[in-house]
Amino acid sequence: MKPGRTPCINPRCSRTGPADEFPGEMICGKCFRALPAEARAKHRGYWRELRKWDRRILRTTDELKRERMRDIRARVAWRLGLHWDREIKAPLLAPEKLVGLDTFLQEAGLS
């Protein structure tokens, strides 16, 4: 991999993104579109919520309200991180095994 690039979290994908835009982890568009529709919608909803609270924090002049809004934003960011780990990253790193003869033989140690 080239320096200054961040790889997609899907181990079977070879796409990368610029490290300055994606400093930690990233999922490429193709792998994101391959996720279940409800997981994608929920992930986009969390990002929409974060941006909404960012805008509200910037517009508010009352420092007490700002502090409360920052707490709410922190909770949404925490839920986004939890969703990223459980519903985006985990299925890609450890996909579910298909039900069938091959899986049964592999679990039984015969394959």
Side-chain angles (χ1 to χ4, degrees):
M1 180 178 64
K2 296 178 185 178
R5 305 291 288 175
T6 303
C8 178
I9 60 169
N10 186 352
R12 294 168 293 286
C13 179
S14 62
R15 289 188 168 84
T16 61
D20 58 338
E21 191 176 335
F22 305 104
E25 299 176 318
M26 69 154 246
I27 184 168
C28 69
K30 184 177 179 184
C31 294
F32 186 75
R33 286 187 296 276
L35 292 171
E38 61 254 1
R40 288 182 296 170
K42 197 171 182 183
H43 193 74
R44 287 183 180 130
Y46 284 133
W47 275 109
R48 194 174 305 118
E49 189 87 6
L50 275 177
R51 288 190 302 269
K52 175 182 79 173
W53 286 108
D54 285 341
R55 286 190 306 271
R56 286 182 177 181
I57 289 169
L58 286 175
R59 282 185 288 180
T60 304
T61 57
D62 183 14
E63 194 55 41
L64 187 59
K65 282 184 179 180
R66 261 190 194 173
E67 199 56 41
R68 281 190 251 146
M69 287 182 197
R70 285 186 189 117
D71 291 341
I72 293 169
R73 189 204 180 281
R75 279 183 281 179
V76 173
W78 181 79
R79 287 194 316 234
L80 174 68
L82 198 62
H83 181 264
W84 173 263
D85 290 338
R86 289 184 179 171
E87 295 188 38
I88 303 290
K89 197 171 158 183
L92 289 173
L93 298 178
E96 296 179 16
K97 291 186 175 182
L98 298 174
V99 178
L101 185 59
D102 294 334
T103 307
F104 174 75
L105 292 175
Q106 188 177 26
E107 288 176 357
L110 300 174
S111 171

